[in-house]
Amino acid sequence: MARPKPAAKAPMVRKTQLTHTVGDFEAAFWPDERPVDNAVVMTMGALHEGHAALIRAARKEVGPEGRVAVTVFVNPLQFAPTEDLDRYPRSLAADVRLAEEHGADVVFAPLPEEVYPNGTPQVRLSAGPMGERFEGATRPGHFDGVLTVVAKLLHITDPDYAFFGEKDAQQLAVIQRMVADLDFDVEVIGVPTVREADGLALSSRNRYLSEAERTQALALSRALFAGRDVAAKGPAAVREAAGQVLSEADGIELDYLALIDPHDFVEAPDDFQGEAVLAVAAKVGSTRLIDNVRLQVR
């Protein structure tokens, strides 16, 4: 007689706590004593499957007994006066549900005055030359604002691990450099870009696209994949293949297409070999989108 199979273990049910102040966050995240492993996923809200992948990666890293925090904060320091701070989508209740579904213990959603209690900070971190290229050239001061808030949130959450998406490749690079240069005691882990079935990279800004614009936006990922497919032929072939796709696309206002050395985020020379980032930024209608792929150039 066959031995009966053991009953499958029910998944651990977590009730995610929503907090708005530093004191409430600390009480919720460390209710007794600091766990062996804990992680943070920093977001600006409007969470989607890309953020869910970050939360799942964090939960997998710290295990069932570890703690995972998700921060939801639309940081005013990283928006220029002409950018969409007020228009940026906000959906906190839905964000908490998604965080809970994928394994977060605490959501920290502070108001600006909680993060910046003395008003706009007089002292800020500088991203240096890495923050002045590509996205930094288009959005001056953007990465200084990113690093300032990331540093503050790292101090508040005090994680062992911090998870960021590879879709924002330059952001990931400057955060990793900040952590290394300033001796933050945290491991920064990048998580691969999550895409729709047709290749479009998930982004909170995709909701601004009309149906026709969404179809046009697919040219960005097609260009990146075309470049990746010829990476064995060298940098010139990568740039040519990707550029050809974009030149034939309708509705794309190109900002930049660049093959980048991820070490210091400079344009890769023509004799470059090794891991590179092929990045693109463009407007589709009134919506500015970014995307990238990692590839091995031979």
Side-chain angles (χ1 to χ4, degrees):
M1 182 176 178
R3 181 176 298 176
K5 295 181 179 180
K9 290 185 178 180
M12 182 178 291
V13 177
R14 298 179 186 276
K15 179 62 178 176
T16 299
Q17 292 181 256
L18 173 62
T19 61
H20 298 286
T21 68
V22 173
D24 286 347
F25 168 78
E26 291 175 344
F29 200 48
W30 302 302
D32 299 312
E33 59 184 34
R34 181 184 174 93
V36 175
D37 288 315
N38 61 84
V40 66
V41 174
M42 296 186 191
T43 82
M44 293 208 300
L47 303 189
H48 50 64
E49 178 56 30
H51 299 104
L54 296 175
I55 300 169
R56 290 195 299 268
R59 172 54 60 197
K60 182 178 180 181
E61 182 66 40
V62 303
E65 302 305 320
R67 304 284 284 175
V68 175
V70 175
T71 66
V72 175
F73 181 61
V74 182
N75 177 33
L77 293 190
Q78 65 195 69
F79 286 80
T82 57
E83 293 182 324
D84 57 352
L85 173 61
D86 293 332
R87 186 178 172 227
Y88 197 86
R90 292 163 172 83
S91 54
L92 184 57
D95 293 344
V96 174
R97 288 195 297 271
L98 183 143
E100 183 170 84
E101 180 181 349
H102 295 281
D105 297 287
V106 181
V107 170
F108 179 46
L111 294 173
E113 51 266 33
E114 183 72 16
V115 178
Y116 306 118
N118 299 313
T120 302
Q122 298 297 304
V123 176
R124 309 185 193 188
L125 289 178
S126 169
M130 284 182 68
E132 297 171 356
R133 307 177 186 119
F134 305 112
E135 286 300 291
T138 301
R139 308 174 69 187
H142 169 72
F143 289 114
D144 296 350
V146 168
L147 293 188
T148 299
V149 78
V150 168
K152 287 181 71 73
L153 291 173
L154 286 176
H155 287 313
I156 292 169
T157 59
D158 192 22
D160 299 299
Y161 308 97
F163 288 79
F164 295 90
E166 291 182 354
K167 176 181 173 293
D168 295 299
Q170 190 170 2
Q171 173 179 278
L172 176 60
V174 297
I175 290 171
Q176 289 173 325
R177 179 58 66 91
M178 175 191 75
V179 165
D181 287 355
L182 301 184
D183 296 322
F184 278 74
D185 187 18
V186 63
E187 181 179 350
V188 176
I189 299 175
V191 177
T193 301
V194 178
R195 299 181 181 277
E196 300 279 6
D198 56 12
L200 185 68
L202 291 184
S203 170
S204 300
R205 289 190 168 94
N206 287 352
R207 65 185 66 191
Y208 299 149
L209 300 171
S210 68
E211 185 175 347
E213 289 167 347
R214 190 190 181 287
T215 300
Q216 293 169 336
L218 294 176
L220 303 185
S221 56
R222 285 203 310 271
L224 297 178
F225 299 155
R228 183 180 62 188
D229 288 345
V230 297
K233 297 180 180 180
V238 171
R239 295 185 179 102
E240 181 179 358
Q244 182 66 30
V245 173
L246 293 174
S247 69
E248 296 172 354
D250 295 325
I252 303 294
E253 184 183 337
L254 185 65
D255 186 349
Y256 61 79
L257 171 70
L259 185 66
I260 298 165
D261 180 346
H263 176 69
D264 50 9
F265 239 79
V266 296
E267 186 88 31
D270 289 340
D271 60 351
F272 181 86
Q273 295 188 46
E275 184 183 42
V277 172
L278 180 61
V280 64
K283 271 191 173 182
V284 182
S286 61
T287 304
R288 188 173 184 274
L289 301 175
I290 61 172
D291 198 358
N292 73 87
V293 294
R294 293 172 184 265
L295 47 89
Q296 289 289 331
V297 181
R298 307 292 183 198

PDB file of all heavy atoms in Angstrom, residues 105-134:
ATOM      1  N   ASP A 105       6.544  42.782   5.142  1.00  0.00           N
ATOM      2  CA  ASP A 105       6.063  42.880   6.510  1.00  0.00           C
ATOM      3  C   ASP A 105       5.541  44.276   6.840  1.00  0.00           C
ATOM      4  O   ASP A 105       4.567  44.423   7.573  1.00  0.00           O
ATOM      5  CB  ASP A 105       7.193  42.532   7.487  1.00  0.00           C
ATOM      6  CG  ASP A 105       7.656  41.100   7.325  1.00  0.00           C
ATOM      7  OD1 ASP A 105       6.911  40.194   7.737  1.00  0.00           O
ATOM      8  OD2 ASP A 105       8.759  40.883   6.783  1.00  0.00           O
ATOM      9  N   VAL A 106       6.225  45.291   6.301  1.00  0.00           N
ATOM     10  CA  VAL A 106       5.891  46.671   6.638  1.00  0.00           C
ATOM     11  C   VAL A 106       5.970  47.523   5.381  1.00  0.00           C
ATOM     12  O   VAL A 106       6.881  47.359   4.558  1.00  0.00           O
ATOM     13  CB  VAL A 106       6.860  47.242   7.698  1.00  0.00           C
ATOM     14  CG1 VAL A 106       6.488  48.680   8.049  1.00  0.00           C
ATOM     15  CG2 VAL A 106       6.865  46.385   8.951  1.00  0.00           C
ATOM     16  N   VAL A 107       5.023  48.434   5.217  1.00  0.00           N
ATOM     17  CA  VAL A 107       5.109  49.505   4.218  1.00  0.00           C
ATOM     18  C   VAL A 107       5.327  50.807   4.975  1.00  0.00           C
ATOM     19  O   VAL A 107       4.567  51.136   5.891  1.00  0.00           O
ATOM     20  CB  VAL A 107       3.839  49.585   3.358  1.00  0.00           C
ATOM     21  CG1 VAL A 107       3.850  50.857   2.503  1.00  0.00           C
ATOM     22  CG2 VAL A 107       3.716  48.356   2.462  1.00  0.00           C
ATOM     23  N   PHE A 108       6.366  51.517   4.584  1.00  0.00           N
ATOM     24  CA  PHE A 108       6.665  52.822   5.183  1.00  0.00           C
ATOM     25  C   PHE A 108       6.340  53.883   4.143  1.00  0.00           C
ATOM     26  O   PHE A 108       7.007  53.988   3.119  1.00  0.00           O
ATOM     27  CB  PHE A 108       8.139  52.876   5.584  1.00  0.00           C
ATOM     28  CG  PHE A 108       8.581  54.184   6.188  1.00  0.00           C
ATOM     29  CD1 PHE A 108       7.827  54.812   7.170  1.00  0.00           C
ATOM     30  CD2 PHE A 108       9.765  54.786   5.775  1.00  0.00           C
ATOM     31  CE1 PHE A 108       8.238  56.021   7.731  1.00  0.00           C
ATOM     32  CE2 PHE A 108      10.192  55.989   6.329  1.00  0.00           C
ATOM     33  CZ  PHE A 108       9.426  56.608   7.308  1.00  0.00           C
ATOM     34  N   ALA A 109       5.281  54.646   4.396  1.00  0.00           N
ATOM     35  CA  ALA A 109       4.803  55.650   3.443  1.00  0.00           C
ATOM     36  C   ALA A 109       4.767  57.010   4.129  1.00  0.00           C
ATOM     37  O   ALA A 109       3.697  57.488   4.537  1.00  0.00           O
ATOM     38  CB  ALA A 109       3.432  55.268   2.911  1.00  0.00           C
ATOM     39  N   PRO A 110       5.903  57.651   4.277  1.00  0.00           N
ATOM     40  CA  PRO A 110       5.951  58.912   5.022  1.00  0.00           C
ATOM     41  C   PRO A 110       5.526  60.104   4.172  1.00  0.00           C
ATOM     42  O   PRO A 110       5.599  60.061   2.933  1.00  0.00           O
ATOM     43  CB  PRO A 110       7.439  59.029   5.387  1.00  0.00           C
ATOM     44  CG  PRO A 110       8.132  58.358   4.235  1.00  0.00           C
ATOM     45  CD  PRO A 110       7.234  57.223   3.822  1.00  0.00           C
ATOM     46  N   LEU A 111       5.102  61.161   4.824  1.00  0.00           N
ATOM     47  CA  LEU A 111       4.902  62.445   4.166  1.00  0.00           C
ATOM     48  C   LEU A 111       6.245  63.131   3.998  1.00  0.00           C
ATOM     49  O   LEU A 111       7.213  62.817   4.711  1.00  0.00           O
ATOM     50  CB  LEU A 111       3.955  63.319   4.996  1.00  0.00           C
ATOM     51  CG  LEU A 111       2.512  62.831   5.123  1.00  0.00           C
ATOM     52  CD1 LEU A 111       1.743  63.696   6.106  1.00  0.00           C
ATOM     53  CD2 LEU A 111       1.823  62.808   3.763  1.00  0.00           C
ATOM     54  N   PRO A 112       6.342  64.090   3.076  1.00  0.00           N
ATOM     55  CA  PRO A 112       7.625  64.779   2.887  1.00  0.00           C
ATOM     56  C   PRO A 112       8.176  65.387   4.165  1.00  0.00           C
ATOM     57  O   PRO A 112       9.392  65.352   4.406  1.00  0.00           O
ATOM     58  CB  PRO A 112       7.289  65.856   1.852  1.00  0.00           C
ATOM     59  CG  PRO A 112       6.164  65.270   1.062  1.00  0.00           C
ATOM     60  CD  PRO A 112       5.356  64.496   2.047  1.00  0.00           C
ATOM     61  N   GLU A 113       7.314  65.931   5.022  1.00  0.00           N
ATOM     62  CA  GLU A 113       7.808  66.557   6.254  1.00  0.00           C
ATOM     63  C   GLU A 113       8.363  65.536   7.247  1.00  0.00           C
ATOM     64  O   GLU A 113       9.097  65.909   8.173  1.00  0.00           O
ATOM     65  CB  GLU A 113       6.718  67.393   6.915  1.00  0.00           C
ATOM     66  CG  GLU A 113       5.400  66.696   7.119  1.00  0.00           C
ATOM     67  CD  GLU A 113       4.422  66.944   5.990  1.00  0.00           C
ATOM     68  OE1 GLU A 113       4.854  67.089   4.821  1.00  0.00           O
ATOM     69  OE2 GLU A 113       3.202  66.997   6.281  1.00  0.00           O
ATOM     70  N   GLU A 114       8.024  64.269   7.090  1.00  0.00           N
ATOM     71  CA  GLU A 114       8.621  63.232   7.933  1.00  0.00           C
ATOM     72  C   GLU A 114      10.035  62.898   7.454  1.00  0.00           C
ATOM     73  O   GLU A 114      10.934  62.671   8.267  1.00  0.00           O
ATOM     74  CB  GLU A 114       7.744  61.971   7.908  1.00  0.00           C
ATOM     75  CG  GLU A 114       8.222  60.854   8.803  1.00  0.00           C
ATOM     76  CD  GLU A 114       8.016  61.135  10.281  1.00  0.00           C
ATOM     77  OE1 GLU A 114       7.240  62.060  10.626  1.00  0.00           O
ATOM     78  OE2 GLU A 114       8.621  60.410  11.108  1.00  0.00           O
ATOM     79  N   VAL A 115      10.224  62.868   6.143  1.00  0.00           N
ATOM     80  CA  VAL A 115      11.548  62.577   5.588  1.00  0.00           C
ATOM     81  C   VAL A 115      12.456  63.798   5.675  1.00  0.00           C
ATOM     82  O   VAL A 115      13.662  63.688   5.948  1.00  0.00           O
ATOM     83  CB  VAL A 115      11.419  62.105   4.122  1.00  0.00           C
ATOM     84  CG1 VAL A 115      12.794  61.830   3.507  1.00  0.00           C
ATOM     85  CG2 VAL A 115      10.553  60.843   4.049  1.00  0.00           C
ATOM     86  N   TYR A 116      11.882  64.975   5.464  1.00  0.00           N
ATOM     87  CA  TYR A 116      12.644  66.229   5.502  1.00  0.00           C
ATOM     88  C   TYR A 116      12.033  67.144   6.564  1.00  0.00           C
ATOM     89  O   TYR A 116      11.357  68.125   6.236  1.00  0.00           O
ATOM     90  CB  TYR A 116      12.631  66.906   4.130  1.00  0.00           C
ATOM     91  CG  TYR A 116      13.107  66.024   3.001  1.00  0.00           C
ATOM     92  CD1 TYR A 116      12.264  65.677   1.931  1.00  0.00           C
ATOM     93  CD2 TYR A 116      14.412  65.539   2.982  1.00  0.00           C
ATOM     94  CE1 TYR A 116      12.708  64.880   0.900  1.00  0.00           C
ATOM     95  CE2 TYR A 116      14.859  64.724   1.951  1.00  0.00           C
ATOM     96  CZ  TYR A 116      14.007  64.394   0.916  1.00  0.00           C
ATOM     97  OH  TYR A 116      14.450  63.596  -0.120  1.00  0.00           O
ATOM     98  N   PRO A 117      12.236  66.829   7.857  1.00  0.00           N
ATOM     99  CA  PRO A 117      11.553  67.583   8.918  1.00  0.00           C
ATOM    100  C   PRO A 117      11.972  69.040   9.011  1.00  0.00           C
ATOM    101  O   PRO A 117      11.232  69.857   9.569  1.00  0.00           O
ATOM    102  CB  PRO A 117      11.944  66.811  10.184  1.00  0.00           C
ATOM    103  CG  PRO A 117      13.192  66.083   9.829  1.00  0.00           C
ATOM    104  CD  PRO A 117      13.066  65.739   8.386  1.00  0.00           C
ATOM    105  N   ASN A 118      13.114  69.374   8.458  1.00  0.00           N
ATOM    106  CA  ASN A 118      13.579  70.764   8.486  1.00  0.00           C
ATOM    107  C   ASN A 118      13.345  71.470   7.155  1.00  0.00           C
ATOM    108  O   ASN A 118      13.983  72.489   6.871  1.00  0.00           O
ATOM    109  CB  ASN A 118      15.063  70.813   8.854  1.00  0.00           C
ATOM    110  CG  ASN A 118      15.333  70.238  10.228  1.00  0.00           C
ATOM    111  OD1 ASN A 118      14.632  70.574  11.184  1.00  0.00           O
ATOM    112  ND2 ASN A 118      16.317  69.360  10.326  1.00  0.00           N
ATOM    113  N   GLY A 119      12.453  70.936   6.346  1.00  0.00           N
ATOM    114  CA  GLY A 119      12.206  71.503   5.029  1.00  0.00           C
ATOM    115  C   GLY A 119      13.224  70.985   4.027  1.00  0.00           C
ATOM    116  O   GLY A 119      13.935  70.008   4.278  1.00  0.00           O
ATOM    117  N   THR A 120      13.293  71.620   2.887  1.00  0.00           N
ATOM    118  CA  THR A 120      14.227  71.198   1.850  1.00  0.00           C
ATOM    119  C   THR A 120      15.642  71.165   2.419  1.00  0.00           C
ATOM    120  O   THR A 120      16.120  72.164   2.963  1.00  0.00           O
ATOM    121  CB  THR A 120      14.182  72.171   0.656  1.00  0.00           C
ATOM    122  OG1 THR A 120      12.845  72.210   0.150  1.00  0.00           O
ATOM    123  CG2 THR A 120      15.129  71.714  -0.444  1.00  0.00           C
ATOM    124  N   PRO A 121      16.314  70.019   2.352  1.00  0.00           N
ATOM    125  CA  PRO A 121      17.616  69.908   3.007  1.00  0.00           C
ATOM    126  C   PRO A 121      18.675  70.814   2.377  1.00  0.00           C
ATOM    127  O   PRO A 121      18.770  70.916   1.153  1.00  0.00           O
ATOM    128  CB  PRO A 121      17.983  68.428   2.831  1.00  0.00           C
ATOM    129  CG  PRO A 121      17.163  67.955   1.689  1.00  0.00           C
ATOM    130  CD  PRO A 121      15.906  68.760   1.703  1.00  0.00           C
ATOM    131  N   GLN A 122      19.445  71.468   3.231  1.00  0.00           N
ATOM    132  CA  GLN A 122      20.531  72.319   2.757  1.00  0.00           C
ATOM    133  C   GLN A 122      21.735  71.487   2.314  1.00  0.00           C
ATOM    134  O   GLN A 122      22.475  71.872   1.414  1.00  0.00           O
ATOM    135  CB  GLN A 122      20.959  73.285   3.872  1.00  0.00           C
ATOM    136  CG  GLN A 122      19.856  74.241   4.304  1.00  0.00           C
ATOM    137  CD  GLN A 122      19.429  75.158   3.171  1.00  0.00           C
ATOM    138  OE1 GLN A 122      20.250  75.865   2.598  1.00  0.00           O
ATOM    139  NE2 GLN A 122      18.146  75.133   2.847  1.00  0.00           N
ATOM    140  N   VAL A 123      21.943  70.351   2.957  1.00  0.00           N
ATOM    141  CA  VAL A 123      23.061  69.461   2.628  1.00  0.00           C
ATOM    142  C   VAL A 123      22.505  68.254   1.882  1.00  0.00           C
ATOM    143  O   VAL A 123      21.590  67.585   2.372  1.00  0.00           O
ATOM    144  CB  VAL A 123      23.802  69.015   3.900  1.00  0.00           C
ATOM    145  CG1 VAL A 123      24.914  68.017   3.552  1.00  0.00           C
ATOM    146  CG2 VAL A 123      24.374  70.220   4.637  1.00  0.00           C
ATOM    147  N   ARG A 124      23.062  67.996   0.720  1.00  0.00           N
ATOM    148  CA  ARG A 124      22.610  66.869  -0.093  1.00  0.00           C
ATOM    149  C   ARG A 124      23.817  66.099  -0.609  1.00  0.00           C
ATOM    150  O   ARG A 124      24.916  66.646  -0.713  1.00  0.00           O
ATOM    151  CB  ARG A 124      21.775  67.353  -1.285  1.00  0.00           C
ATOM    152  CG  ARG A 124      20.655  68.314  -0.914  1.00  0.00           C
ATOM    153  CD  ARG A 124      19.813  68.646  -2.112  1.00  0.00           C
ATOM    154  NE  ARG A 124      18.936  69.786  -1.862  1.00  0.00           N
ATOM    155  CZ  ARG A 124      17.991  70.194  -2.690  1.00  0.00           C
ATOM    156  NH1 ARG A 124      17.794  69.569  -3.827  1.00  0.00           N
ATOM    157  NH2 ARG A 124      17.241  71.243  -2.387  1.00  0.00           N
ATOM    158  N   LEU A 125      23.578  64.849  -0.963  1.00  0.00           N
ATOM    159  CA  LEU A 125      24.633  64.064  -1.585  1.00  0.00           C
ATOM    160  C   LEU A 125      24.744  64.425  -3.062  1.00  0.00           C
ATOM    161  O   LEU A 125      23.754  64.803  -3.704  1.00  0.00           O
ATOM    162  CB  LEU A 125      24.334  62.573  -1.447  1.00  0.00           C
ATOM    163  CG  LEU A 125      24.473  61.994  -0.046  1.00  0.00           C
ATOM    164  CD1 LEU A 125      24.094  60.526  -0.046  1.00  0.00           C
ATOM    165  CD2 LEU A 125      25.893  62.160   0.462  1.00  0.00           C
ATOM    166  N   SER A 126      25.939  64.281  -3.595  1.00  0.00           N
ATOM    167  CA  SER A 126      26.178  64.519  -5.016  1.00  0.00           C
ATOM    168  C   SER A 126      26.527  63.209  -5.700  1.00  0.00           C
ATOM    169  O   SER A 126      27.337  62.429  -5.188  1.00  0.00           O
ATOM    170  CB  SER A 126      27.334  65.515  -5.209  1.00  0.00           C
ATOM    171  OG  SER A 126      27.730  65.564  -6.570  1.00  0.00           O
ATOM    172  N   ALA A 127      25.911  62.973  -6.823  1.00  0.00           N
ATOM    173  CA  ALA A 127      26.215  61.771  -7.600  1.00  0.00           C
ATOM    174  C   ALA A 127      27.496  61.920  -8.400  1.00  0.00           C
ATOM    175  O   ALA A 127      27.954  60.942  -9.012  1.00  0.00           O
ATOM    176  CB  ALA A 127      25.049  61.445  -8.531  1.00  0.00           C
ATOM    177  N   GLY A 128      28.071  63.110  -8.426  1.00  0.00           N
ATOM    178  CA  GLY A 128      29.328  63.312  -9.134  1.00  0.00           C
ATOM    179  C   GLY A 128      29.175  63.144 -10.637  1.00  0.00           C
ATOM    180  O   GLY A 128      28.067  63.231 -11.182  1.00  0.00           O
ATOM    181  N   PRO A 129      30.287  62.888 -11.339  1.00  0.00           N
ATOM    182  CA  PRO A 129      30.227  62.773 -12.804  1.00  0.00           C
ATOM    183  C   PRO A 129      29.266  61.697 -13.293  1.00  0.00           C
ATOM    184  O   PRO A 129      28.639  61.854 -14.349  1.00  0.00           O
ATOM    185  CB  PRO A 129      31.677  62.437 -13.187  1.00  0.00           C
ATOM    186  CG  PRO A 129      32.502  62.988 -12.069  1.00  0.00           C
ATOM    187  CD  PRO A 129      31.672  62.814 -10.841  1.00  0.00           C
ATOM    188  N   MET A 130      29.118  60.601 -12.538  1.00  0.00           N
ATOM    189  CA  MET A 130      28.194  59.541 -12.970  1.00  0.00           C
ATOM    190  C   MET A 130      26.758  60.048 -13.057  1.00  0.00           C
ATOM    191  O   MET A 130      25.956  59.519 -13.831  1.00  0.00           O
ATOM    192  CB  MET A 130      28.244  58.357 -12.004  1.00  0.00           C
ATOM    193  CG  MET A 130      29.460  57.479 -12.150  1.00  0.00           C
ATOM    194  SD  MET A 130      29.400  56.068 -11.015  1.00  0.00           S
ATOM    195  CE  MET A 130      28.049  55.127 -11.692  1.00  0.00           C
ATOM    196  N   GLY A 131      26.448  61.060 -12.261  1.00  0.00           N
ATOM    197  CA  GLY A 131      25.089  61.580 -12.247  1.00  0.00           C
ATOM    198  C   GLY A 131      24.843  62.706 -13.216  1.00  0.00           C
ATOM    199  O   GLY A 131      23.743  63.271 -13.239  1.00  0.00           O
ATOM    200  N   GLU A 132      25.833  63.037 -14.019  1.00  0.00           N
ATOM    201  CA  GLU A 132      25.707  64.150 -14.959  1.00  0.00           C
ATOM    202  C   GLU A 132      25.552  63.688 -16.405  1.00  0.00           C
ATOM    203  O   GLU A 132      25.372  64.507 -17.293  1.00  0.00           O
ATOM    204  CB  GLU A 132      26.930  65.056 -14.839  1.00  0.00           C
ATOM    205  CG  GLU A 132      27.070  65.701 -13.454  1.00  0.00           C
ATOM    206  CD  GLU A 132      28.391  66.413 -13.260  1.00  0.00           C
ATOM    207  OE1 GLU A 132      29.242  66.337 -14.184  1.00  0.00           O
ATOM    208  OE2 GLU A 132      28.590  67.019 -12.196  1.00  0.00           O
ATOM    209  N   ARG A 133      25.617  62.380 -16.636  1.00  0.00           N
ATOM    210  CA  ARG A 133      25.544  61.839 -17.992  1.00  0.00           C
ATOM    211  C   ARG A 133      24.159  61.253 -18.238  1.00  0.00           C
ATOM    212  O   ARG A 133      23.428  60.920 -17.307  1.00  0.00           O
ATOM    213  CB  ARG A 133      26.606  60.751 -18.184  1.00  0.00           C
ATOM    214  CG  ARG A 133      28.015  61.187 -17.808  1.00  0.00           C
ATOM    215  CD  ARG A 133      29.007  60.035 -17.943  1.00  0.00           C
ATOM    216  NE  ARG A 133      30.301  60.460 -17.429  1.00  0.00           N
ATOM    217  CZ  ARG A 133      30.932  59.889 -16.405  1.00  0.00           C
ATOM    218  NH1 ARG A 133      30.373  58.862 -15.784  1.00  0.00           N
ATOM    219  NH2 ARG A 133      32.106  60.336 -16.005  1.00  0.00           N
ATOM    220  N   PHE A 134      23.799  61.096 -19.489  1.00  0.00           N
ATOM    221  CA  PHE A 134      22.581  60.410 -19.892  1.00  0.00           C
ATOM    222  C   PHE A 134      21.360  60.954 -19.144  1.00  0.00           C
ATOM    223  O   PHE A 134      20.968  62.089 -19.381  1.00  0.00           O
ATOM    224  CB  PHE A 134      22.747  58.891 -19.728  1.00  0.00           C
ATOM    225  CG  PHE A 134      23.952  58.380 -20.469  1.00  0.00           C
ATOM    226  CD1 PHE A 134      25.060  57.875 -19.793  1.00  0.00           C
ATOM    227  CD2 PHE A 134      24.017  58.439 -21.851  1.00  0.00           C
ATOM    228  CE1 PHE A 134      26.183  57.440 -20.475  1.00  0.00           C
ATOM    229  CE2 PHE A 134      25.132  58.014 -22.551  1.00  0.00           C
ATOM    230  CZ  PHE A 134      26.215  57.511 -21.842  1.00  0.00           C
TER     231      PHE A 134
END
